[in-house]
Amino acid sequence: GQQVMQIPQYQHVQEGEDFTTYCNSSTTLSNIQWYKQRPGGHPVFLIQLVKSGEVKKQKRLTFQFGEAKKNSSLHITATQTTDVGTYFCAGQVASGTYKYIFGTGTRLKVLA
Amino acid sequence: DGGITQSPKYLFRKEGQNVTLSCEQNLNHDAMYWYRQDPGQGLRLIYYSQIVNDFQKGDIAEGYSVSREKKESFPLTVTSAQKNPTAFYLCASSILPGQGRTEAFFGQGTRLTVV
């Protein structure tokens, strides 16, 4: 079946270090979204990428969508303690459905 | 104040009992979804619906049932047939693809524990 894998599963960084999570799909995606879930909370939308090779930035966060539209990455520059949480990608398969497949998530801990 | 509301926040169920989780949205979204999240795990799709009186099974529908009698409401029933129902359940809604940015808006979740 369709799968979306994320690596790493966990990441501990010192405050100020950079962080990257990678998302890989077994099938071509029509678009990909990224969400952040704080501990004990619910996922909150961060961004949607649609075009092949697209790069978007939100302050210290940089999102990329691969040329083949099967992979994506989220990079955080100079992490802060407020970045703590689990980051999920969610891919919409390019089959005309409106179903999103969520990745397994990367849990980020930032040590002050 | 628009949003998506799940109730209750915490729910305890005895083995062998059915239980229904509520999900209501006033965002006028056509699509609604139910996900299950286990500790340290990602989100797995249980059921989703595009339109009233229509819904499709997700990846882990066995032991669950849903209804969509109103656009605003998408309740999930966890039946006694669900072997391991203890989990965090998240409801979400969105507009349909082709209508703009299809971000999912999530409720606060219901934490179900079988005792």
Side-chain angles (χ1 to χ4, degrees), chain A residues 12-71:
Chain A
H12 294 184
V13 298
Q14 287 291 136
E15 189 173 20
E17 291 183 339
D18 293 355
F19 158 77
T20 304
T21 173
Y22 301 90
C23 183
N24 292 287
S25 169
S26 57
T27 57
T28 302
L29 302 170
S30 62
N31 65 78
I32 195 160
Q33 298 176 347
W34 284 91
Y35 292 80
K36 176 183 178 181
Q37 183 178 25
R38 294 185 184 276
H42 60 279
V44 175
F45 175 83
L46 293 176
I47 207 159
Q48 178 170 304
L49 304 170
V50 179
K51 299 176 184 175
S52 170
E54 188 170 13
V55 177
K56 286 189 176 180
K57 291 190 175 184
Q58 288 180 349
K59 297 183 180 178
R60 295 179 294 105
L61 278 60
T62 301
F63 304 84
Q64 290 188 311
F65 199 10
E67 293 290 341
K69 300 185 78 173
K70 295 179 78 171
N71 56 76

Side-chain angles (χ1 to χ4, degrees), chain A residues 33 35 37 42 92 98 100, chain B residues 37 50 56 97 102 104 108:
Chain A
Q33 298 176 347
Y35 292 80
Q37 183 178 25
H42 60 279
Q92 183 183 26
Y98 53 90
Y100 279 85
Chain B
Q37 185 174 33
Q50 179 183 7
Q56 284 78 44
T102 55
Q108 299 291 323

Side-chain angles (χ1 to χ4, degrees), chain B residues 13-19 63 77-85:
Chain B
R13 188 195 91 174
K14 291 183 179 179
E15 280 193 36
Q17 287 182 338
N18 293 354
V19 64
T77 297
V78 184
T79 75
S80 56
Q82 169 50 233
K83 297 281 187 266
N84 185 21

